[in-house]
Amino acid sequence: MSDVAREPLVVLDRVNKHFGALHVLKDVDLTIGRGEVVVVIGPSGSGKSTLCRAINRLETIESGSITLDGQPLPQEGKDLARLRADVGMVFQSFNLFAHKSVLENVVLGPTRVRRVPRVEAERRARELLERVGVADQADKHPAQLSGGQQQRVAIARALAMDPKVMLFDEPTSALDPEMINEVLDVMTGLARSGMTMVVVTHEMGFARRAADRVVFMADGEVVEQAAPERFFTAPTSVRAQDFLSKILTH
């Protein structure tokens, strides 16, 4: 949680995106520093998930630019596959391969995309499964796991690619309440380890605890950004004040 100037890792510059007539990202400027944990919050339809998906080109942008580690995001082909390897993504739905074991799910990316030797990929996969607390589930198939366990496997799978940045798009919104904390605990541990993270979430406790910076979006714009303590205790924009008054009183 330091104020040390960080080297920029992900830079969005005047990014615009429409879905039909709906202007979902409006001239968005955002810089994420290396090792920084940025939590993006805001009302539904504010553009948070689109922003997250634009960073690894799951959504294309119409104007503006996004760079990762000084390089513009590639359009397609092998360069795009390489970018996706550098940008880990964890979704609402776990997106695991149902017909493969947990271990295979984690080993697949490194062996196929990064060309990591099988023995090494398996060793690393087991380490990561241990780290997220599901080492004992390695030989099971995803359907045999709880939602919380599946999401932790999805995090291990993304980490196995040794990404430069991890994106989390509402990673706990599909989980039963008792499973949410087991996933947030893993994410908090990751944040403390120095991983660069962009997290779209409704979990304000996590934002307070783990974020270096909270970015508040509304109507496709970044309305306000601040350190968590300042944002939650003294938001400056009316939109953020209104949003917080609605969610923090319940």
Side-chain angles (χ1 to χ4, degrees), residues 43-239:
S44 292
S46 57
K48 308 182 299 288
S49 288
T50 306
L51 172 91
C52 202
R53 293 167 67 85
I55 294 174
N56 74 343
R57 280 196 63 87
L58 284 173
E59 296 289 356
T60 53
I61 60 172
E62 285 138 24
S63 64
S65 67
I66 303 177
T67 57
L68 174 69
D69 222 354
Q71 301 296 314
L73 298 197
Q75 297 298 317
E76 54 198 20
K78 282 197 172 128
D79 290 338
L80 183 56
R82 205 167 298 128
L83 162 85
R84 296 237 170 97
D86 282 340
V87 181
M89 182 116 189
V90 178
F91 302 88
Q92 292 179 29
S93 52
F94 322 122
N95 292 13
L96 297 171
F97 294 112
H99 61 290
K100 292 187 181 296
S101 71
V102 163
L103 186 69
E104 281 299 323
N105 265 281
V106 181
V107 163
L108 194 64
T111 51
R112 286 220 180 145
V113 180
R114 296 268 195 226
R115 301 281 182 245
V116 175
R118 171 83 200 188
V119 174
E120 192 184 320
E122 221 172 274
R123 180 187 58 74
R124 174 89 174 121
R126 289 188 190 279
E127 271 174 20
L128 288 168
L129 291 171
E130 178 79 44
R131 182 174 176 182
V132 301
V134 289
D136 54 342
Q137 309 293 331
D139 299 327
K140 291 186 178 172
H141 280 69
Q144 297 170 280
L145 273 54
S146 72
Q149 289 171 326
Q150 289 187 61
Q151 193 60 297
R152 286 183 283 154
V153 173
I155 292 172
R157 181 180 61 176
L159 289 173
M161 298 298 283
D162 206 15
K164 292 178 178 176
V165 56
M166 285 278 284
L167 309 177
F168 294 86
D169 186 11
E170 301 198 12
T172 58
S173 62
L175 297 176
D176 292 333
E178 71 272 17
M179 293 172 192
I180 289 174
N181 282 341
E182 66 189 52
V183 173
L184 292 178
D185 286 347
V186 168
M187 291 168 60
T188 303
L190 261 187
R192 298 221 167 106
S193 75
M195 172 62 75
T196 310
M197 294 165 63
V198 180
V199 184
V200 174
T201 187
H202 295 290
E203 299 293 332
M204 298 302 141
F206 173 80
R208 279 196 138 133
R209 187 170 70 243
D212 293 303
R213 180 165 38 127
V214 174
V215 171
F216 175 74
M217 289 186 73
D219 300 323
E221 297 177 299
V222 172
V223 176
E224 185 171 345
Q225 42 186 319
E229 202 43 48
R230 202 173 99 224
F231 178 78
F232 286 110
T233 52
T236 55
S237 64
V238 174
R239 289 299 308 264

Side-chain angles (χ1 to χ4, degrees), residues 25-58:
L25 295 177
K26 301 175 184 169
D27 279 335
V28 170
D29 290 329
L30 185 63
T31 298
I32 293 132
R34 197 180 297 277
E36 189 178 21
V37 178
V38 174
V39 174
V40 185
I41 65 172
S44 292
S46 57
K48 308 182 299 288
S49 288
T50 306
L51 172 91
C52 202
R53 293 167 67 85
I55 294 174
N56 74 343
R57 280 196 63 87
L58 284 173

